[in-house]
Amino acid sequence: GAGVSQSPSNKVTEKGKDVELRCDPISGHTALYWYRQSLGQGLEFLIYFQGNSAPDKSGLPSDRFSAERTGGSVSTLTIQRTQQEDSAVYLCASSTRTTMVASGGSYEQYFGPGTRLTVT
Amino acid sequence: DAKTTQPTSMDCAEGRAANLPCNHSTISGNEYVYWYRQIHSQGPQYIIHGLKNNETNEMASLIITEDRKSSTLILPHATLRDTAVYYCIVITAKTSYDKVIFGPGTSLSVIP
């Protein structure tokens, strides 16, 4: 079946411009995550959506970053007034998780191919 | 949140077992250990997870120490395609949602 898709695959933008990155999770997955990976670094958690609960935004690096998830499906990550340090690969993941880990629920995240953002 | 530490890089000869260690000394009783890997320019791939028992699947084995303060991911017969960055992570459960914290991982190079 179709996996997680992201668009665009590559985005080059000038410093100070706003960008929107899109994520289409696997159909039926209630949980959606955004991460970013800078060159040579590990994955950095940004934000997490689970069903209708308020998103966990604790990983967002600044108030220039925001994310929405409409209708419990597609998500958009917006970066305003981009800076060069925002250059990274932005990864989206989704999972079926609906139960807590302590109850034995599995926790496989399915990742998209990412969007490579370059701020010049 | 429990943190993990891994060696920055490792080499392994093709065909030999690759043993990737991970320390998670502050892990709490209801936290799971998960392993992912990321091959260059691709998204991360789930490998295996466990709570306290050793686990095995078609990709790898996971050995968790009795005190759960460390674990080892074993790729029994490494191939060149296993060259990737391997991430050991601990799942934090909080009310009805989780947050996954990835560290820098271990860069595994499989040598012909």
Side-chain angles (χ1 to χ4, degrees):
Chain A
V4 177
S5 61
Q6 292 184 243
S7 60
S9 56
N10 281 285
K11 177 71 177 179
V12 180
T13 189
E14 293 179 352
K15 178 181 173 180
K17 301 278 187 172
D18 298 352
V19 295
E20 284 190 352
L21 312 180
R22 177 187 168 105
C23 172
D24 283 272
I26 294 173
S27 178
H29 280 194
T30 59
L32 186 149
Y33 305 77
W34 282 99
Y35 300 89
R36 73 175 176 182
Q37 187 172 30
S38 301
L39 187 64
Q41 303 296 314
L43 290 175
E44 176 187 3
F45 166 79
L46 297 178
I47 189 169
Y48 166 80
F49 295 90
Q50 169 64 351
N52 295 320
S53 301
D56 179 356
K57 303 180 181 181
S58 60
L60 295 178
S62 78
D63 59 8
R64 297 185 295 105
F65 287 72
S66 63
E68 291 184 337
R69 189 179 185 191
T70 54
S73 180
V74 173
S75 177
T76 302
L77 177 69
T78 301
I79 309 173
Q80 295 178 309
R81 305 180 302 281
T82 54
Q83 304 294 313
Q84 288 185 332
E85 60 263 28
D86 299 334
S87 296
V89 176
Y90 288 80
L91 289 158
C92 174
S94 70
S95 74
T96 59
R97 177 171 185 74
T98 57
T99 58
M100 292 180 64
V101 170
S103 66
S106 178
Y107 197 72
E108 296 179 13
Q109 290 192 23
Y110 297 83
F111 284 78
T115 293
R116 182 175 297 279
L117 175 66
T118 303
V119 182
T120 61
Chain B
D1 297 347
K3 297 288 193 294
T4 64
T5 56
Q6 300 174 250
T8 303
S9 63
M10 293 181 64
D11 291 340
C12 178
E14 187 179 15
R16 303 296 294 269
N19 297 286
L20 292 91
C22 179
N23 287 319
H24 31 78
S25 58
T26 60
I27 193 171
S28 59
N30 65 347
E31 291 177 325
Y32 283 61
V33 179
Y34 275 71
W35 283 83
Y36 287 83
R37 73 179 182 184
Q38 187 173 24
I39 296 170
H40 180 62
S41 77
Q42 299 181 19
Q45 176 189 22
Y46 165 83
I47 301 174
I48 198 168
H49 75 280
L51 181 62
K52 53 184 177 182
N53 296 324
N54 297 337
E55 303 289 343
T56 296
N57 62 21
E58 65 278 4
M59 290 184 67
S61 294
L62 175 62
I63 308 298
I64 303 175
T65 58
E66 191 170 342
D67 63 7
R68 303 214 317 128
K69 293 185 177 182
S70 65
S71 61
T72 301
L73 177 74
I74 301 173
L75 308 178
H77 305 288
T79 71
L80 298 179
R81 287 176 296 181
D82 292 324
T83 293
V85 178
Y86 287 77
Y87 296 94
C88 165
I89 61 172
V90 172
I91 301 299
T92 300
K94 181 179 180 182
T95 62
S96 63
Y97 58 89
D98 298 335
K99 181 167 66 180
V100 179
I101 301 173
F102 287 81
T106 295
S107 178
L108 174 69
S109 296
V110 180
I111 312 299

